[in-house]
Amino acid sequence: MVSIINDVFLKTLSREKTSYTPVWIMRQAGRYLPEYLETRKKAGSFLDLCKNKDFATEVAMQPLDRYPDLDAAILFSDILTVPDAMGLGLYFEEGEGPRFKNPLQNEKEIQKLDIPDVEEKLNYVFNAVKSIKDALRNRVPLIGFSGSPWTLATYMVEGKGGSDFLKIKKMLYNRPDLINHILKINTETVTKYLACQIDAGADVIMIFDSWGGVLAHQEYESYSLNYMKVILSNLNLLGYQKTPKILFTKGGGQWLQAQANSGANALGTDWQTNLSSARKIVNDKVALQGNLDPAILLSDPKLIEKAVKEVLDDYGHGEGHIFNLGHGITQFTPPENLQALLETVRNYSPQFHKK
Ligand code: CP3
């Protein structure tokens, strides 16, 4: 295996000693960057960006070109490519987010749902992974990703991003068999999808469980965590034990103990979670990623510096912290404010890694 030049992120995932705290930013390629908007215009639309490997590579590299302090790259794509490959017809309504032409509205549609030919239907994603990996020239590791079975199911049933999630929750309470059918198909599909991303060159994989936090505490493990565990253990059985795996349930800070026993190497945390308490709960068994409130980036460099230091102080001394936001960066972030964040992480964090 060719070694990665900057391996601080990889070392932290296995809780090995590093000289500073690594950092990357969820949605680091995106609309807050003027160069991203320019490429999107050239491509035509967001989906055109995802489906063309040259455009996907260009936008994935943009944050790394602008910010030399980033310690990881992430595949440019979207979690909703998976239901799209299942035939649900993904499209984006300008300013309104993702929608599906054919959401799963009744039992008949759900029974018809099947595992797609991942290699063929999602080939454009694996081509993007290969192309981004080449462009990186091993400068930093590349993260591949997927949505969790539950999070994908919320979009598949609701037909769009949720607010109250009443459609899927009504189904969950009335017809758990139908939800479990969708979740099983998603689990198998995501396992294959992530395996193909690793084969194409992803060094790390991350499962985004963006809507796991809307489940009642009695249901989280049955409907979200257990399916993610199946993905992680099946990837290990398929021979991908060495690829580090990150699991992030947004709004899932109260279930950290169960998540720490999932087989993941690292857990994402949002800003509602206190990192020092989280660290005690997981007992340094896994690394922790997070967890600055993305909204702080709408303030000014002085306030950002203070808030970044607080997050680093919260985690405290020792290995196993990957600095990130608690959720994706917002499109309204002034790019120079991210620079202030990155500089503070790089300058302030070395003290936590001294003997
Ligand atoms: O982190 C990165 O830089 C990689 C790219 C990435 C995107 N989406 C690009 C994107 C990743 C990792 C995602 C994951 C994703 N997509 C999630 C999980 C993470 C999370 O935010 O909770 C979810 C829930 C989605 C679904 C999705 N895609 C939504 C809700 C939206 C619209 C909301 C928004 O922010 O506008 C998207 C569109 C999307 N995905 C954009 C980008 C850059 C914006 C599209 C545009 O250019 O107009």
Side-chain angles (χ1 to χ4, degrees), residues 118-181:
V118 169
E119 270 158 340
E120 191 220 302
K121 290 263 165 52
L122 292 162
N123 191 252
Y124 66 91
V125 178
F126 314 131
N127 284 338
V129 172
K130 280 187 204 127
S131 168
I132 297 165
K133 182 75 187 162
D134 282 348
L136 282 168
R137 296 163 168 269
N138 292 311
R139 176 178 142 189
V140 291
L142 175 61
I143 305 166
F145 67 86
S146 171
S148 73
W150 165 257
T151 292
L152 295 177
T154 63
Y155 286 96
M156 293 160 76
V157 171
E158 301 281 337
K160 55 181 181 167
S163 51
D164 51 14
F165 297 92
L166 284 181
K167 279 190 194 152
I168 191 164
K169 284 196 164 187
K170 181 177 166 195
M171 199 183 283
L172 184 153
Y173 290 118
N174 286 301
R175 292 293 306 272
D177 58 312
L178 295 182
I179 295 294
N180 280 309
H181 177 71

Short mmCIF file of all heavy atoms in Angstrom, two decimals, residues 118-181:
data_model
loop_
_atom_site.label_atom_id
_atom_site.label_comp_id
_atom_site.label_asym_id
_atom_site.label_seq_id
_atom_site.Cartn_x
_atom_site.Cartn_y
_atom_site.Cartn_z
N VAL A 118 -25.29 -2.09 -8.04
CA VAL A 118 -24.50 -0.97 -7.51
C VAL A 118 -23.33 -0.63 -8.45
O VAL A 118 -23.08 0.54 -8.75
CB VAL A 118 -23.99 -1.33 -6.09
CG1 VAL A 118 -22.96 -0.32 -5.60
CG2 VAL A 118 -25.17 -1.38 -5.13
N GLU A 119 -22.63 -1.68 -8.89
CA GLU A 119 -21.44 -1.43 -9.73
C GLU A 119 -21.79 -0.67 -11.00
O GLU A 119 -21.04 0.19 -11.44
CB GLU A 119 -20.76 -2.75 -10.08
CG GLU A 119 -19.73 -3.10 -9.04
CD GLU A 119 -19.38 -4.56 -8.99
OE1 GLU A 119 -20.17 -5.39 -9.49
OE2 GLU A 119 -18.32 -4.86 -8.43
N GLU A 120 -22.94 -0.99 -11.56
CA GLU A 120 -23.32 -0.31 -12.81
C GLU A 120 -23.96 1.05 -12.54
O GLU A 120 -23.53 2.07 -13.06
CB GLU A 120 -24.29 -1.22 -13.59
CG GLU A 120 -24.53 -0.72 -15.00
CD GLU A 120 -25.97 -0.86 -15.41
OE1 GLU A 120 -26.50 -1.99 -15.38
OE2 GLU A 120 -26.57 0.18 -15.75
N LYS A 121 -24.98 1.06 -11.67
CA LYS A 121 -25.76 2.28 -11.47
C LYS A 121 -24.98 3.39 -10.76
O LYS A 121 -25.26 4.57 -10.95
CB LYS A 121 -27.02 1.96 -10.65
CG LYS A 121 -28.05 1.14 -11.42
CD LYS A 121 -29.09 2.08 -12.00
CE LYS A 121 -29.98 1.48 -13.07
NZ LYS A 121 -30.63 0.24 -12.73
N LEU A 122 -24.02 2.97 -9.92
CA LEU A 122 -23.28 3.98 -9.17
C LEU A 122 -21.82 4.08 -9.62
O LEU A 122 -20.97 4.62 -8.92
CB LEU A 122 -23.40 3.71 -7.66
CG LEU A 122 -24.83 3.94 -7.16
CD1 LEU A 122 -25.07 3.26 -5.81
CD2 LEU A 122 -25.14 5.43 -7.04
N ASN A 123 -21.61 3.56 -10.83
CA ASN A 123 -20.27 3.59 -11.39
C ASN A 123 -19.66 5.00 -11.41
O ASN A 123 -18.46 5.18 -11.18
CB ASN A 123 -20.33 3.00 -12.81
CG ASN A 123 -18.96 2.76 -13.36
OD1 ASN A 123 -18.51 3.46 -14.25
ND2 ASN A 123 -18.26 1.79 -12.80
N TYR A 124 -20.51 6.00 -11.64
CA TYR A 124 -19.99 7.37 -11.69
C TYR A 124 -19.38 7.80 -10.35
O TYR A 124 -18.43 8.58 -10.32
CB TYR A 124 -21.09 8.36 -12.16
CG TYR A 124 -22.26 8.52 -11.22
CD1 TYR A 124 -22.25 9.51 -10.24
CD2 TYR A 124 -23.39 7.71 -11.32
CE1 TYR A 124 -23.34 9.68 -9.38
CE2 TYR A 124 -24.48 7.87 -10.47
CZ TYR A 124 -24.45 8.85 -9.50
OH TYR A 124 -25.51 9.01 -8.65
N VAL A 125 -19.90 7.25 -9.25
CA VAL A 125 -19.33 7.59 -7.93
C VAL A 125 -17.94 6.96 -7.79
O VAL A 125 -16.99 7.62 -7.35
CB VAL A 125 -20.24 7.08 -6.79
CG1 VAL A 125 -19.62 7.39 -5.42
CG2 VAL A 125 -21.64 7.72 -6.89
N PHE A 126 -17.81 5.70 -8.22
CA PHE A 126 -16.51 5.03 -8.08
C PHE A 126 -15.47 5.67 -9.02
O PHE A 126 -14.29 5.75 -8.67
CB PHE A 126 -16.66 3.51 -8.32
CG PHE A 126 -17.84 2.94 -7.57
CD1 PHE A 126 -18.78 2.12 -8.20
CD2 PHE A 126 -18.06 3.29 -6.24
CE1 PHE A 126 -19.90 1.64 -7.51
CE2 PHE A 126 -19.17 2.81 -5.54
CZ PHE A 126 -20.09 2.00 -6.19
N ASN A 127 -15.92 6.13 -10.17
CA ASN A 127 -15.01 6.87 -11.06
C ASN A 127 -14.56 8.17 -10.41
O ASN A 127 -13.40 8.56 -10.54
CB ASN A 127 -15.70 7.19 -12.39
CG ASN A 127 -15.79 5.96 -13.27
OD1 ASN A 127 -15.02 5.02 -13.10
ND2 ASN A 127 -16.75 5.94 -14.19
N ALA A 128 -15.47 8.83 -9.70
CA ALA A 128 -15.10 10.08 -9.01
C ALA A 128 -14.09 9.76 -7.90
O ALA A 128 -13.11 10.50 -7.73
CB ALA A 128 -16.34 10.76 -8.42
N VAL A 129 -14.31 8.67 -7.16
CA VAL A 129 -13.35 8.30 -6.10
C VAL A 129 -11.96 8.11 -6.71
O VAL A 129 -10.97 8.67 -6.22
CB VAL A 129 -13.78 6.99 -5.38
CG1 VAL A 129 -12.69 6.50 -4.42
CG2 VAL A 129 -15.08 7.19 -4.61
N LYS A 130 -11.88 7.36 -7.81
CA LYS A 130 -10.58 7.09 -8.44
C LYS A 130 -9.92 8.39 -8.89
O LYS A 130 -8.73 8.59 -8.70
CB LYS A 130 -10.78 6.21 -9.70
CG LYS A 130 -10.95 4.76 -9.36
CD LYS A 130 -10.95 3.92 -10.65
CE LYS A 130 -11.69 2.62 -10.40
NZ LYS A 130 -12.76 2.30 -11.34
N SER A 131 -10.71 9.25 -9.49
CA SER A 131 -10.17 10.48 -10.04
C SER A 131 -9.70 11.44 -8.93
O SER A 131 -8.65 12.07 -9.04
CB SER A 131 -11.25 11.11 -10.93
OG SER A 131 -10.91 12.41 -11.27
N ILE A 132 -10.47 11.52 -7.84
CA ILE A 132 -10.07 12.41 -6.72
C ILE A 132 -8.80 11.84 -6.07
O ILE A 132 -7.87 12.57 -5.75
CB ILE A 132 -11.21 12.56 -5.69
CG1 ILE A 132 -12.43 13.23 -6.33
CG2 ILE A 132 -10.75 13.37 -4.47
CD1 ILE A 132 -13.73 13.11 -5.54
N LYS A 133 -8.79 10.52 -5.90
CA LYS A 133 -7.62 9.85 -5.31
C LYS A 133 -6.35 10.17 -6.14
O LYS A 133 -5.29 10.47 -5.58
CB LYS A 133 -7.90 8.35 -5.27
CG LYS A 133 -6.86 7.50 -4.66
CD LYS A 133 -6.83 7.61 -3.15
CE LYS A 133 -5.63 6.84 -2.60
NZ LYS A 133 -5.30 7.24 -1.25
N ASP A 134 -6.46 10.12 -7.47
CA ASP A 134 -5.32 10.46 -8.33
C ASP A 134 -4.90 11.91 -8.14
O ASP A 134 -3.71 12.21 -8.01
CB ASP A 134 -5.69 10.29 -9.82
CG ASP A 134 -5.68 8.83 -10.23
OD1 ASP A 134 -5.17 7.99 -9.45
OD2 ASP A 134 -6.20 8.52 -11.33
N ALA A 135 -5.90 12.80 -8.13
CA ALA A 135 -5.59 14.23 -8.03
C ALA A 135 -4.92 14.56 -6.69
O ALA A 135 -4.11 15.48 -6.61
CB ALA A 135 -6.87 15.05 -8.18
N LEU A 136 -5.23 13.80 -5.65
CA LEU A 136 -4.66 14.07 -4.32
C LEU A 136 -3.17 13.72 -4.25
O LEU A 136 -2.45 14.25 -3.40
CB LEU A 136 -5.39 13.25 -3.26
CG LEU A 136 -6.74 13.77 -2.81
CD1 LEU A 136 -7.47 12.72 -1.98
CD2 LEU A 136 -6.58 15.05 -1.99
N ARG A 137 -2.72 12.83 -5.10
CA ARG A 137 -1.34 12.34 -5.07
C ARG A 137 -0.88 12.00 -3.66
O ARG A 137 0.22 12.38 -3.22
CB ARG A 137 -0.39 13.40 -5.65
CG ARG A 137 -0.67 13.69 -7.10
CD ARG A 137 -0.01 15.00 -7.50
NE ARG A 137 -0.02 15.15 -8.93
CZ ARG A 137 0.96 14.74 -9.73
NH1 ARG A 137 2.05 14.18 -9.24
NH2 ARG A 137 0.86 14.89 -11.03
N ASN A 138 -1.78 11.35 -2.92
CA ASN A 138 -1.50 10.89 -1.54
C ASN A 138 -1.17 12.00 -0.57
O ASN A 138 -0.56 11.75 0.47
CB ASN A 138 -0.38 9.84 -1.54
CG ASN A 138 -0.84 8.56 -2.19
OD1 ASN A 138 -1.93 8.05 -1.88
ND2 ASN A 138 -0.07 8.05 -3.13
N ARG A 139 -1.59 13.23 -0.88
CA ARG A 139 -1.30 14.34 0.02
C ARG A 139 -1.99 14.12 1.38
O ARG A 139 -1.39 14.28 2.44
CB ARG A 139 -1.81 15.62 -0.64
CG ARG A 139 -1.66 16.84 0.22
CD ARG A 139 -2.13 18.08 -0.52
NE ARG A 139 -2.81 18.97 0.39
CZ ARG A 139 -3.48 20.03 0.00
NH1 ARG A 139 -3.59 20.34 -1.28
NH2 ARG A 139 -4.06 20.81 0.88
N VAL A 140 -3.29 13.79 1.35
CA VAL A 140 -4.07 13.49 2.57
C VAL A 140 -4.97 12.30 2.24
O VAL A 140 -5.20 12.01 1.07
CB VAL A 140 -4.96 14.69 3.01
CG1 VAL A 140 -4.13 15.86 3.52
CG2 VAL A 140 -5.89 15.14 1.88
N PRO A 141 -5.53 11.64 3.27
CA PRO A 141 -6.45 10.52 3.00
C PRO A 141 -7.77 11.01 2.40
O PRO A 141 -8.18 12.15 2.62
CB PRO A 141 -6.70 9.91 4.39
CG PRO A 141 -5.75 10.56 5.32
CD PRO A 141 -5.29 11.84 4.71
N LEU A 142 -8.41 10.09 1.67
CA LEU A 142 -9.71 10.38 1.05
C LEU A 142 -10.82 9.63 1.80
O LEU A 142 -10.74 8.42 1.98
CB LEU A 142 -9.69 9.96 -0.42
CG LEU A 142 -11.01 10.07 -1.19
CD1 LEU A 142 -11.51 11.52 -1.23
CD2 LEU A 142 -10.87 9.53 -2.61
N ILE A 143 -11.86 10.37 2.19
CA ILE A 143 -13.00 9.78 2.89
C ILE A 143 -14.10 9.45 1.87
O ILE A 143 -14.49 10.31 1.08
CB ILE A 143 -13.58 10.77 3.94
CG1 ILE A 143 -12.50 11.23 4.92
CG2 ILE A 143 -14.77 10.13 4.69
CD1 ILE A 143 -12.91 12.45 5.75
N GLY A 144 -14.57 8.21 1.88
CA GLY A 144 -15.76 7.84 1.13
C GLY A 144 -16.94 7.84 2.09
O GLY A 144 -16.74 7.82 3.31
N PHE A 145 -18.16 7.88 1.62
CA PHE A 145 -19.28 7.93 2.57
C PHE A 145 -20.56 7.37 1.98
O PHE A 145 -20.71 7.18 0.77
CB PHE A 145 -19.52 9.37 3.04
CG PHE A 145 -20.03 10.29 1.96
CD1 PHE A 145 -21.39 10.38 1.67
CD2 PHE A 145 -19.15 11.06 1.22
CE1 PHE A 145 -21.86 11.23 0.67
CE2 PHE A 145 -19.60 11.91 0.22
CZ PHE A 145 -20.96 11.99 -0.06
N SER A 146 -21.49 7.15 2.91
CA SER A 146 -22.86 6.77 2.54
C SER A 146 -23.79 7.29 3.62
O SER A 146 -23.37 7.59 4.73
CB SER A 146 -22.97 5.24 2.49
OG SER A 146 -24.31 4.88 2.33
N GLY A 147 -25.07 7.39 3.29
CA GLY A 147 -26.07 7.64 4.32
C GLY A 147 -26.33 6.34 5.06
O GLY A 147 -26.04 5.25 4.56
N SER A 148 -26.86 6.42 6.27
CA SER A 148 -27.23 5.21 7.01
C SER A 148 -28.53 4.65 6.42
O SER A 148 -29.30 5.39 5.79
CB SER A 148 -27.46 5.54 8.48
OG SER A 148 -28.70 6.24 8.63
N PRO A 149 -28.80 3.36 6.62
CA PRO A 149 -30.06 2.80 6.13
C PRO A 149 -31.28 3.59 6.61
O PRO A 149 -32.19 3.88 5.83
CB PRO A 149 -30.04 1.38 6.70
CG PRO A 149 -28.57 1.04 6.75
CD PRO A 149 -27.90 2.33 7.16
N TRP A 150 -31.29 3.99 7.88
CA TRP A 150 -32.44 4.73 8.41
C TRP A 150 -32.57 6.11 7.75
O TRP A 150 -33.65 6.52 7.32
CB TRP A 150 -32.35 4.87 9.94
CG TRP A 150 -33.29 5.90 10.47
CD1 TRP A 150 -32.99 7.17 10.86
CD2 TRP A 150 -34.73 5.77 10.60
NE1 TRP A 150 -34.13 7.84 11.24
CE2 TRP A 150 -35.20 7.01 11.10
CE3 TRP A 150 -35.64 4.74 10.35
CZ2 TRP A 150 -36.56 7.24 11.35
CZ3 TRP A 150 -36.99 4.97 10.60
CH2 TRP A 150 -37.44 6.21 11.09
N THR A 151 -31.44 6.83 7.66
CA THR A 151 -31.49 8.19 7.09
C THR A 151 -31.93 8.13 5.63
O THR A 151 -32.74 8.96 5.18
CB THR A 151 -30.12 8.88 7.28
OG1 THR A 151 -29.96 9.10 8.68
CG2 THR A 151 -30.03 10.20 6.54
N LEU A 152 -31.44 7.15 4.88
CA LEU A 152 -31.88 7.00 3.49
C LEU A 152 -33.39 6.71 3.46
O LEU A 152 -34.13 7.26 2.65
CB LEU A 152 -31.10 5.89 2.79
CG LEU A 152 -29.60 6.16 2.62
CD1 LEU A 152 -28.92 4.97 1.97
CD2 LEU A 152 -29.36 7.43 1.78
N ALA A 153 -33.83 5.84 4.37
CA ALA A 153 -35.26 5.48 4.40
C ALA A 153 -36.14 6.70 4.67
O ALA A 153 -37.23 6.82 4.09
CB ALA A 153 -35.51 4.40 5.46
N THR A 154 -35.66 7.64 5.50
CA THR A 154 -36.51 8.82 5.78
C THR A 154 -36.77 9.59 4.48
O THR A 154 -37.92 9.98 4.21
CB THR A 154 -35.89 9.78 6.83
OG1 THR A 154 -34.67 10.31 6.34
CG2 THR A 154 -35.68 9.11 8.17
N TYR A 155 -35.74 9.76 3.65
CA TYR A 155 -35.93 10.46 2.37
C TYR A 155 -36.79 9.64 1.41
O TYR A 155 -37.60 10.18 0.65
CB TYR A 155 -34.59 10.77 1.71
CG TYR A 155 -33.84 11.91 2.38
CD1 TYR A 155 -32.87 11.65 3.34
CD2 TYR A 155 -34.13 13.24 2.07
CE1 TYR A 155 -32.19 12.69 3.96
CE2 TYR A 155 -33.46 14.28 2.69
CZ TYR A 155 -32.50 13.99 3.63
OH TYR A 155 -31.83 15.03 4.26
N MET A 156 -36.61 8.32 1.45
CA MET A 156 -37.32 7.45 0.51
C MET A 156 -38.82 7.42 0.79
O MET A 156 -39.63 7.32 -0.12
CB MET A 156 -36.74 6.02 0.57
CG MET A 156 -35.31 5.95 0.04
SD MET A 156 -34.41 4.49 0.60
CE MET A 156 -35.14 3.23 -0.44
N VAL A 157 -39.18 7.51 2.07
CA VAL A 157 -40.59 7.46 2.44
C VAL A 157 -41.21 8.87 2.43
O VAL A 157 -42.31 9.07 1.92
CB VAL A 157 -40.78 6.77 3.82
CG1 VAL A 157 -42.21 6.91 4.32
CG2 VAL A 157 -40.37 5.31 3.74
N GLU A 158 -40.48 9.84 2.98
CA GLU A 158 -41.03 11.21 3.04
C GLU A 158 -41.02 11.87 1.65
O GLU A 158 -41.78 12.79 1.39
CB GLU A 158 -40.22 12.08 4.01
CG GLU A 158 -40.16 11.55 5.46
CD GLU A 158 -41.42 11.85 6.27
OE1 GLU A 158 -42.14 12.80 5.92
OE2 GLU A 158 -41.67 11.12 7.24
N GLY A 159 -40.08 11.44 0.79
CA GLY A 159 -39.95 12.04 -0.54
C GLY A 159 -39.13 13.30 -0.56
O GLY A 159 -38.88 13.89 -1.60
N LYS A 160 -38.70 13.74 0.63
CA LYS A 160 -37.88 14.97 0.76
C LYS A 160 -37.29 15.00 2.17
O LYS A 160 -37.57 14.10 2.97
CB LYS A 160 -38.74 16.20 0.52
CG LYS A 160 -39.95 16.27 1.42
CD LYS A 160 -40.80 17.49 1.14
CE LYS A 160 -41.97 17.47 2.12
NZ LYS A 160 -42.72 18.64 2.23
N GLY A 161 -36.51 16.02 2.46
CA GLY A 161 -35.96 16.18 3.81
C GLY A 161 -37.10 16.36 4.79
O GLY A 161 -38.11 16.98 4.46
N GLY A 162 -36.95 15.83 5.97
CA GLY A 162 -38.09 15.83 6.90
C GLY A 162 -38.11 17.01 7.84
O GLY A 162 -37.13 17.72 7.97
N SER A 163 -39.24 17.22 8.46
CA SER A 163 -39.28 18.12 9.60
C SER A 163 -39.91 17.37 10.76
O SER A 163 -39.31 17.20 11.81
CB SER A 163 -40.04 19.40 9.28
OG SER A 163 -41.31 19.08 8.71
N ASP A 164 -41.11 16.83 10.56
CA ASP A 164 -41.72 16.05 11.66
C ASP A 164 -41.62 14.53 11.45
O ASP A 164 -41.87 13.77 12.35
CB ASP A 164 -43.16 16.47 11.89
CG ASP A 164 -43.97 16.46 10.60
OD1 ASP A 164 -43.50 15.89 9.59
OD2 ASP A 164 -45.08 17.02 10.60
N PHE A 165 -41.27 14.11 10.24
CA PHE A 165 -41.08 12.69 9.93
C PHE A 165 -42.32 11.85 10.25
O PHE A 165 -42.22 10.70 10.66
CB PHE A 165 -39.85 12.13 10.67
CG PHE A 165 -38.57 12.79 10.25
CD1 PHE A 165 -38.10 13.90 10.93
CD2 PHE A 165 -37.87 12.33 9.16
CE1 PHE A 165 -36.94 14.54 10.52
CE2 PHE A 165 -36.70 12.94 8.74
CZ PHE A 165 -36.24 14.05 9.42
N LEU A 166 -43.50 12.44 10.07
CA LEU A 166 -44.72 11.73 10.45
C LEU A 166 -45.03 10.55 9.54
O LEU A 166 -45.56 9.54 9.99
CB LEU A 166 -45.91 12.69 10.50
CG LEU A 166 -45.93 13.59 11.73
CD1 LEU A 166 -47.16 14.50 11.72
CD2 LEU A 166 -45.88 12.78 13.03
N LYS A 167 -44.69 10.67 8.24
CA LYS A 167 -45.00 9.56 7.33
C LYS A 167 -44.23 8.31 7.74
O LYS A 167 -44.80 7.23 7.89
CB LYS A 167 -44.60 9.92 5.90
CG LYS A 167 -45.62 10.75 5.18
CD LYS A 167 -45.27 10.85 3.70
CE LYS A 167 -46.09 11.96 3.07
NZ LYS A 167 -45.44 12.57 1.93
N ILE A 168 -42.92 8.49 7.90
CA ILE A 168 -42.10 7.30 8.20
C ILE A 168 -42.35 6.81 9.62
O ILE A 168 -42.38 5.60 9.88
CB ILE A 168 -40.59 7.53 7.93
CG1 ILE A 168 -39.85 6.19 7.98
CG2 ILE A 168 -39.98 8.54 8.86
CD1 ILE A 168 -38.48 6.18 7.37
N LYS A 169 -42.63 7.72 10.55
CA LYS A 169 -42.88 7.27 11.93
C LYS A 169 -44.23 6.56 12.05
O LYS A 169 -44.37 5.58 12.78
CB LYS A 169 -42.81 8.46 12.88
CG LYS A 169 -41.38 8.89 13.14
CD LYS A 169 -41.33 9.78 14.35
CE LYS A 169 -39.93 9.92 14.86
NZ LYS A 169 -39.92 10.64 16.13
N LYS A 170 -45.19 7.05 11.30
CA LYS A 170 -46.50 6.38 11.31
C LYS A 170 -46.31 4.94 10.81
O LYS A 170 -46.86 3.98 11.38
CB LYS A 170 -47.45 7.15 10.39
CG LYS A 170 -48.85 6.58 10.34
CD LYS A 170 -49.73 7.45 9.47
CE LYS A 170 -51.02 6.69 9.15
NZ LYS A 170 -51.76 7.32 8.05
N MET A 171 -45.52 4.82 9.73
CA MET A 171 -45.27 3.48 9.18
C MET A 171 -44.48 2.62 10.17
O MET A 171 -44.77 1.45 10.35
CB MET A 171 -44.52 3.61 7.86
CG MET A 171 -44.61 2.38 6.98
SD MET A 171 -43.63 2.57 5.48
CE MET A 171 -44.64 3.62 4.47
N LEU A 172 -43.52 3.24 10.82
CA LEU A 172 -42.69 2.49 11.78
C LEU A 172 -43.55 1.90 12.90
O LEU A 172 -43.39 0.75 13.30
CB LEU A 172 -41.62 3.43 12.34
CG LEU A 172 -40.56 2.87 13.30
CD1 LEU A 172 -39.30 3.71 13.20
CD2 LEU A 172 -41.04 2.88 14.74
N TYR A 173 -44.50 2.71 13.41
CA TYR A 173 -45.32 2.22 14.52
C TYR A 173 -46.41 1.26 14.06
O TYR A 173 -46.75 0.31 14.76
CB TYR A 173 -45.90 3.40 15.32
CG TYR A 173 -44.82 4.14 16.10
CD1 TYR A 173 -44.52 5.47 15.87
CD2 TYR A 173 -44.07 3.45 17.07
CE1 TYR A 173 -43.51 6.12 16.58
CE2 TYR A 173 -43.05 4.09 17.79
CZ TYR A 173 -42.78 5.43 17.53
OH TYR A 173 -41.78 6.06 18.23
N ASN A 174 -46.95 1.50 12.83
CA ASN A 174 -48.05 0.65 12.37
C ASN A 174 -47.59 -0.60 11.63
O ASN A 174 -48.21 -1.64 11.73
CB ASN A 174 -48.97 1.44 11.43
CG ASN A 174 -49.82 2.41 12.18
OD1 ASN A 174 -50.59 2.03 13.05
ND2 ASN A 174 -49.68 3.68 11.87
N ARG A 175 -46.54 -0.43 10.80
CA ARG A 175 -46.08 -1.54 9.96
C ARG A 175 -44.56 -1.68 10.03
O ARG A 175 -43.86 -1.46 9.02
CB ARG A 175 -46.52 -1.29 8.50
CG ARG A 175 -48.02 -1.35 8.25
CD ARG A 175 -48.58 -2.76 8.43
NE ARG A 175 -47.90 -3.78 7.65
CZ ARG A 175 -48.22 -4.12 6.40
NH1 ARG A 175 -49.21 -3.53 5.78
NH2 ARG A 175 -47.55 -5.08 5.78
N PRO A 176 -44.03 -2.04 11.19
CA PRO A 176 -42.57 -2.17 11.30
C PRO A 176 -42.00 -3.13 10.27
O PRO A 176 -40.85 -2.98 9.85
CB PRO A 176 -42.36 -2.68 12.73
CG PRO A 176 -43.70 -3.13 13.22
CD PRO A 176 -44.73 -2.37 12.45
N ASP A 177 -42.81 -4.10 9.81
CA ASP A 177 -42.32 -5.05 8.81
C ASP A 177 -41.92 -4.34 7.52
O ASP A 177 -40.92 -4.67 6.89
CB ASP A 177 -43.39 -6.13 8.52
CG ASP A 177 -44.71 -5.52 8.04
OD1 ASP A 177 -45.20 -4.56 8.68
OD2 ASP A 177 -45.24 -5.98 7.01
N LEU A 178 -42.70 -3.31 7.13
CA LEU A 178 -42.38 -2.58 5.90
C LEU A 178 -41.09 -1.78 6.06
O LEU A 178 -40.25 -1.74 5.16
CB LEU A 178 -43.53 -1.65 5.49
CG LEU A 178 -44.85 -2.33 5.10
CD1 LEU A 178 -45.87 -1.27 4.68
CD2 LEU A 178 -44.64 -3.33 3.97
N ILE A 179 -40.96 -1.12 7.20
CA ILE A 179 -39.73 -0.34 7.45
C ILE A 179 -38.52 -1.27 7.48
O ILE A 179 -37.48 -0.98 6.88
CB ILE A 179 -39.85 0.44 8.78
CG1 ILE A 179 -40.95 1.49 8.70
CG2 ILE A 179 -38.52 1.10 9.16
CD1 ILE A 179 -40.69 2.61 7.72
N ASN A 180 -38.67 -2.41 8.15
CA ASN A 180 -37.54 -3.34 8.21
C ASN A 180 -37.17 -3.87 6.83
O ASN A 180 -35.99 -4.11 6.55
CB ASN A 180 -37.82 -4.48 9.19
CG ASN A 180 -37.59 -4.02 10.63
OD1 ASN A 180 -36.54 -3.47 10.94
ND2 ASN A 180 -38.57 -4.21 11.49
N HIS A 181 -38.16 -4.02 5.97
CA HIS A 181 -37.87 -4.46 4.60
C HIS A 181 -37.01 -3.41 3.87
O HIS A 181 -36.00 -3.74 3.25
CB HIS A 181 -39.20 -4.70 3.84
CG HIS A 181 -39.01 -5.07 2.40
ND1 HIS A 181 -38.50 -6.30 2.03
CD2 HIS A 181 -39.23 -4.38 1.26
CE1 HIS A 181 -38.43 -6.33 0.70
NE2 HIS A 181 -38.87 -5.18 0.22
#
